[in-house]
Amino acid sequence: MKTEKAMAQWGWRSVSYWMAMFIALGILFIGVRFVLFPQISLEDFGIQPSNYADITLGRIKGIRDMFSGLALLALLLGRMKKATACVFTAAIIIPATDCLLVYGHNGMDLPRMLVHGFTAIYMVITSFLLISNTNKTTA
């Protein structure tokens, strides 16, 4: 029962909670932006759209980003630390592979690669905080 009490206290006063919330809200915003403005969003992502199919794929990416943000928000608002930690840690693959995709498409486009790379590093740090000290409410 001690673990359940500690888990129930994880939330608004936790650094890891707000770090994960930042990513959840950020990816939700990015998803909405991809749906509404796919050409601009794709260019900012690091991919130059060349035809209407690329624009459609940008919107598809946006819908998936919106789902990811909403799913993470649901876990955060439910204060489910272990589930948040598992999903968040698995999601590190997204910015890491995005970085590789930008590299494969554009070569060494350092500014865009750094955005994806730093996001992956931020998520690794957040995951570490979420996973460690599961009995503490300040992690």
Side-chain angles (χ1 to χ4, degrees):
M1 292 299 174
K2 183 178 180 180
T3 302
E4 288 178 18
K5 182 179 178 185
M7 295 295 283
Q9 293 176 352
W10 177 77
W12 300 101
R13 292 189 280 174
S14 172
V15 172
S16 63
Y17 182 90
W18 287 107
M19 289 177 75
M21 181 68 78
F22 176 74
I23 291 292
L25 293 174
I27 198 64
L28 182 59
F29 170 78
I30 289 168
V32 169
R33 188 168 179 259
F34 262 95
V35 169
L36 297 176
F37 310 106
Q39 182 161 354
I40 294 167
S41 298
L42 281 166
E43 290 168 1
D44 288 347
F45 179 86
I47 305 291
Q48 294 296 323
S50 59
N51 56 43
Y52 185 74
D54 291 345
I55 301 299
T56 302
L57 288 173
R59 286 196 170 108
I60 290 169
K61 180 201 179 319
I63 292 165
R64 282 158 177 71
D65 284 351
M66 288 168 49
F67 170 79
S68 296
L70 290 171
L72 192 53
L73 274 176
L75 296 173
L76 286 162
L77 294 175
R79 295 177 15 189
M80 295 181 252
K81 186 177 182 183
K82 284 185 181 182
T84 300
C86 290
V87 171
F88 201 87
T89 301
I92 294 169
I93 194 171
I94 297 169
T97 55
D98 285 350
C99 187
L100 294 173
L101 287 170
V102 169
Y103 176 75
H105 188 76
N106 294 333
M108 190 58 81
D109 185 349
L110 199 56
R112 287 182 177 93
M113 288 178 63
L114 286 175
V115 168
H116 300 297
F118 282 137
T119 301
I121 292 167
Y122 176 91
M123 290 179 71
V124 167
I125 293 166
T126 304
S127 290
F128 175 78
L129 292 174
L130 286 166
I131 292 168
S132 66
N133 303 318
T134 55
N135 291 330
K136 291 184 180 180
T137 59
T138 59

